[in-house]
Structures are given as structure tokens and as C-alpha cells.
């Protein structure tokens, strides 16, 4: 929510958008502190580190989406990248998660939305864009989403609150580093 309100303003000013992402993620951790304190110490299971991997994947995905926006290719990259959610659901189903009508409908909608988004994207004007670069950005964004959702799902089986806090902290750290690199 924080980055939705302030991300656009930051992109027009001197503040790198990744600094805004980092601040928003840190705010999420701060807001979770009362719940985390009430729950006690995090589980002593290394599987919780998967939530940190999810946070890194969030930053990678945002980097690719923002690159696509800068190239004027958000119309295709965002919907095709969002198909990563369908990939994560598929991994869950292979792993034994139950399959029902709601999941089937969600998968069909994701596939249809990705197809329509890619099919109806406007023609790129100006300089010639590389279809290979656009495809690489799309596949990379989808892979980052698959990684984030799959890792967060696995970590949340240990403790959903600590997994969420760990993911937010990891995203804040990696986005903050990316934002600092953007200032140099």
C-alpha cells in the first residue's frame, strides 16, 4: 500500500523507487511487531530462510517490471510475468496441494489474462525493441514470482507470521541496496 501511494511520486523525483519499496517493507515489519512479540521467538528451522529467498525474488521481479516500464513494455510484461502465479500453483499441485474448481477457474483466468495481455499489447513506436529482450524480461519476472510464491508458501507452513516478517525484511534489505546503487 505504501509503495502504491508513494512509488509514483518517487519515480518523478530524486528518490529511487527501490528506496520507497524498502521503506514500505520496513513499515510492514514494524506493523507486525506486536503480533511477532505475542507469538514469541521464530521457529528454529532453517526452512524459514526460504522466506528470505522470497524477499530477494520480490526485488528481482520489481527490477524486471520497472525495467519493462522504462522500455515502454508494461502492457506485455506485467500480464505475462503475472503468469508466474499459475506456475506456483502448478508446483503446489504437483507437491500435493488439493485441486478444486476455484483453483481450476483461477488457472484458466490467469492463462486467458496473460494471453489477452500479450495479444492486445499496443505496437511499440519509436526505437525498435528486441523481442528476445522482452521475452527474457517476461520469463524472468514470471520465474521470480514463482520463486517468491513457492518459497513463501513453504516457509509459511512453519509459521506464517514469522515467514511474512522475514520476507518483508529481506525485501527491504535487497530493495534498499538496489535503491542505494541507483543513487550512485
Amino acid at each position: 500500500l505504501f509503495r502504491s501511494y508513494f512509488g509514483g511520486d518517487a519515480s518523478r523525483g530524486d528518490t529511487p523507487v527501490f528506496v520507497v519499496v524498502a521503506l514500505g517493507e520496513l513499515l510492514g515489519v514494524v506493523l507486525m511487531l506486536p503480533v511477532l512479540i505475542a507469538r514469541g521467538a521464530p521457529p528454529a528451522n532453517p526452512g524459514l530462510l526460504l522466506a528470505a529467498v522470497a524477499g530477494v525474488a520480490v526485488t528481482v521481479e520489481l527490477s524486471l517490471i520497472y525495467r519493462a516500464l522504462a522500455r515502454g513494455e508494461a502492457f506485455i510484461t506485467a500480464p505475462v510475468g503475472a503468469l508466474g502465479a499459475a506456475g506456483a500453483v502448478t508446483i503446489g499441485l504437483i507437491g500435493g496441494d488439493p485441486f478444486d474448481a476455484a483453483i481450476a477457474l483461477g488457472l484458466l483466468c490467469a492463462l486467458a489474462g496473460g494471453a489477452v495481455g500479450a495479444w492486445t499489447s499496443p505496437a511499440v513506436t519509436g526505437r525498435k525493441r528486441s523481442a528476445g529482450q522482452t521475452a527474457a524480461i517476461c520469463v524472468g519476472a514470471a520465474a521470480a514470482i514463482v520463486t517468491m510464491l513457492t518459497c513463501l508458501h513453504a516457509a509459511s507452513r512453519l509459521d506464517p507470521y514469522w515467514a511474512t516478517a522475514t520476507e518483508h525484511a529481506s525485501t527491504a534489505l535487497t530493495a534498499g541496496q538496489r535503491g542505494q546503487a541507483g543513487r550512485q
Side-chain angles (χ1 to χ4, degrees), residues 111-128:
L111 293 173
V116 168
W119 180 45
T120 61
S121 63
V124 178
T125 58
R127 68 177 198 239
K128 180 85 173 148

Side-chain angles (χ1 to χ4, degrees), residues 18-165:
F18 283 101
V19 171
V20 175
V21 170
L23 291 173
E25 295 294 321
L26 283 176
L27 179 62
V29 173
V30 168
L31 292 173
M32 290 185 70
L33 282 176
V35 173
L36 296 174
I37 291 168
R39 292 190 66 81
N45 188 317
L48 192 59
L49 292 175
L50 288 171
V53 173
V56 173
V58 168
T59 303
V60 169
E61 185 265 336
L62 288 174
S63 296
L64 291 169
I65 293 297
Y66 292 147
R67 179 175 295 157
L69 289 170
R71 291 171 47 117
E73 298 170 343
F75 284 104
I76 186 170
T77 307
V80 174
L83 288 175
V89 169
T90 303
I91 289 172
L93 293 172
I94 291 169
D97 288 347
F99 184 74
D100 60 17
I103 291 174
L105 181 61
L107 287 171
L108 285 174
C109 289
L111 293 173
V116 168
W119 180 45
T120 61
S121 63
V124 178
T125 58
R127 68 177 198 239
K128 180 85 173 148
R129 304 284 191 220
S130 165
Q133 288 176 336
T134 301
I137 290 173
C138 290
V139 169
I145 291 169
V146 167
T147 302
M148 185 274 293
L149 291 173
T150 304
C151 289
L152 189 59
H153 178 67
S156 69
R157 289 182 174 172
L158 300 171
D159 186 306
Y161 299 100
W162 278 105
T164 301

Side-chain angles (χ1 to χ4, degrees), residues 6-20 179-180 182-184:
F6 297 108
D9 289 340
S11 67
R12 288 187 292 274
D14 292 335
T15 306
V17 72
F18 283 101
V19 171
V20 175
Q180 289 301 321
R183 283 188 167 171
Q184 298 172 352

